[in-house]
């Protein structure tokens, strides 16, 4: 809870997002997760065989027990936001089923990247069973976050780059569709955000699935994404299109990458010029490395606000 609050206190941000690791659900299934530093997140003992889906993993997970510490954090964050009179929404968060499976069978973000899709091809029955269990758990976990006070929810498909497009559409996408449908059924007024990192070709289908905000990674063009989503929404009679999030490169926040305040301001204004100020969450399209300059972070946040106000005033 404290880590979630720190950036809200330091910068003029428009929302708080739950600070939680992407693999807490893997831990809830009884598997160890480690972060030794410098080598990415690791699952030291991944599933050794397809048979271990049945022999080693529970069929269901009680998230209110196994992930009670995260649910309690949501409550604490809400209390802190109110106590400090910070009028911003809290975004709940979960990794998506394919990303969770990727780690459970491959064990590492840095090695064995091919193992996940190999499992899909060689063990289709067990893969489907695992994805089904993970999908059900993600739904319960995110629903519990709403019940604890989260205003919005984001599904993070962190490992979209390690699955081919045909496999993503066959295996990962049905999970995302089911998550959106069930959460919208339970919490119709709670906006759903989604980030298919490395698989942003899926954003059109994710809009169709009912997500309110789709996220662009750094390799995805914002202007063409906006146009594509608007065109598809109009053609389907579902206009307006969903909102977009991203796609700023975090390198603009690193002096070591040659950036400075003028480059940060230029990038912020270019995004707003490309897609406008509405139905947009100005955000990064990739995670941070830890060597970003807090001064440049503040410059980005402030410039987004200032430039948005100027554009709106000129309309």
């Amino acid at each position: 809870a404290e880590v979630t609050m720190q950036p809200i206190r330091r910068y003029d941000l428009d929302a708080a997002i739950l600070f939680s690791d992407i693999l807490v659900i893997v831990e809830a299934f009884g598997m160890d997760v480690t972060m030794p530093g410098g080598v990415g997140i690791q699952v030291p003992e991944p599933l050794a065989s397809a048979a271990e889906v049945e022999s080693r993993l529970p069929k269901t997970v009680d998230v209110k027990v196994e992930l009670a510490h995260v649910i309690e954090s949501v409550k604490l964050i809400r209390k802190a936001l109110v106590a400090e009179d910070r009028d911003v929404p809290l975004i709940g968060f979960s990794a998506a089923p394919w990303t969770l499976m990727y780690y459970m069978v491959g064990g590492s973000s840095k090695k064995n990247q091919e193992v996940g899709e190999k499992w899909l091809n060689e063990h289709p029955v067990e893969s489907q069973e695992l994805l089904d269990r993970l999908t059900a758990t993600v739904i319960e976990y995110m629903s519990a976050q709403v019940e604890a006070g989260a205003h919005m929810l984001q599904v993070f498909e962190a490992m979209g780059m390690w699955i081919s497009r045909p496999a993503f559409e066959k295996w990962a996408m049905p999970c995302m569709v089911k998550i959106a449908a069930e959460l919208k059924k339970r919490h119709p007024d709670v906006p759903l955000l989604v980030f298919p990192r490395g698989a942003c070709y899926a954003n059109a289908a994710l809009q169709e699935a009912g997500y309110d905000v789709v996220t662009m990674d750094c390799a995805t063009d914002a202007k063409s994404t906006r146009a594509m989503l608007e065109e598809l929404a109009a053609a389907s009679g579902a206009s307006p299109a969903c909102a977009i999030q991203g796609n700023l490169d975090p390198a603009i926040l690193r002096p070591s990458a040659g950036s400075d305040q003028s480059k940060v301001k230029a990038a912020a204004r270019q995004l707003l010029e490309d897609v406008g100020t509405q139905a947009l969450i100005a955000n990064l399209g990739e995670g941070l490395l830890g060597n970003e300059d807090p001064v440049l972070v503040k410059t980005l946040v402030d410039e987004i606000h200032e430039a948005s106000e100027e554009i709106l005033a000129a309309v």
Side-chain angles (χ1 to χ4, degrees), residues 120-152:
L120 297 175
N121 293 328
E122 295 183 359
H123 311 295
V125 174
E126 292 84 357
S127 293
Q128 189 62 64
E129 175 64 23
L130 178 54
L131 287 170
D132 287 346
R133 294 185 194 183
L134 291 170
T135 300
T137 305
V138 168
I139 290 169
E140 296 303 326
Y141 177 46
M142 300 192 86
S143 185
Q145 291 180 43
V146 173
E147 293 168 5
H151 302 96
M152 307 166 71

Side-chain angles (χ1 to χ4, degrees), residues 7 13 51 64 115 139 172 174 223 262 269 275 289 299:
L13 297 169
K64 293 184 179 180
V115 173
I139 290 169
K223 184 182 288 187
S262 65
R269 288 183 177 266
V275 298
L289 296 181
T299 299

Side-chain angles (χ1 to χ4, degrees), residues 1-10 16 77 80-81 84 86:
E2 174 64 20
V3 178
T4 298
M5 291 299 299
Q6 285 180 0
I8 295 296
R9 294 169 181 147
R10 185 166 190 169
I77 295 164
L81 289 170
E84 297 180 21
R86 300 184 185 277

Side-chain angles (χ1 to χ4, degrees), residues 249-302:
D249 190 337
I252 65 172
L253 303 178
R254 300 180 201 127
S256 61
S259 191
D260 55 30
Q261 287 184 302
S262 65
K263 292 180 180 178
V264 171
K265 291 180 179 182
R269 288 183 177 266
Q270 187 63 57
L271 176 63
L272 296 173
E273 290 174 9
D274 286 345
V275 298
T277 61
Q278 303 303 294
L280 169 70
I281 298 176
N283 204 344
L284 303 176
E286 182 56 83
L288 303 176
L289 296 181
N291 60 344
E292 291 76 19
D293 184 350
V295 172
L296 297 185
V297 174
K298 185 177 187 303
T299 299
L300 175 60
V301 174
D302 292 346

Side-chain angles (χ1 to χ4, degrees), residues 75-260:
K75 296 176 182 178
L76 291 173
I77 295 164
R78 279 297 309 275
K79 289 180 181 178
L81 289 170
V82 172
E84 297 180 21
D85 195 28
R86 300 184 185 277
D87 188 22
V88 296
L90 172 60
I91 304 173
F93 165 85
S94 176
W98 157 251
T99 290
L100 297 166
M101 177 181 170
Y102 170 91
Y103 280 99
M104 293 171 81
V105 302
S108 172
S109 60
K110 303 294 185 182
K111 299 185 297 182
N112 307 324
Q113 288 101 337
E114 76 288 347
V115 173
E117 187 158 352
K118 185 177 179 181
W119 255 68
L120 297 175
N121 293 328
E122 295 183 359
H123 311 295
V125 174
E126 292 84 357
S127 293
Q128 189 62 64
E129 175 64 23
L130 178 54
L131 287 170
D132 287 346
R133 294 185 194 183
L134 291 170
T135 300
T137 305
V138 168
I139 290 169
E140 296 303 326
Y141 177 46
M142 300 192 86
S143 185
Q145 291 180 43
V146 173
E147 293 168 5
H151 302 96
M152 307 166 71
L153 295 171
Q154 175 155 288
V155 184
F156 184 23
E157 191 69 279
M159 292 297 159
M161 70 288 288
W162 297 120
I163 182 171
S164 66
R165 182 167 183 169
F168 185 94
E169 292 171 347
K170 178 180 179 179
W171 296 98
M173 192 66 201
C175 302
M176 307 291 272
V177 170
K178 187 173 183 179
I179 290 168
E182 184 60 27
L183 289 175
K184 280 297 183 183
K185 179 181 177 181
R186 297 187 190 189
H187 312 289
D189 298 325
V190 174
L192 295 180
L193 299 78
V194 62
F195 185 10
R197 186 177 70 151
C200 288
Y201 53 77
N203 275 337
L206 291 166
Q207 172 178 263
E208 185 178 357
Y211 287 92
D212 300 289
V213 183
V214 298
T215 307
M216 306 166 291
D217 57 27
C218 296
T220 304
D221 181 70
K223 184 182 288 187
S224 59
T225 296
R226 171 82 88 193
M228 177 265 295
L229 294 172
E230 290 179 346
E231 180 180 349
L232 291 173
S236 67
S239 189
C242 66
I244 56 176
Q245 176 177 227
N247 61 345
L248 293 167
D249 190 337
I252 65 172
L253 303 178
R254 300 180 201 127
S256 61
S259 191
D260 55 30

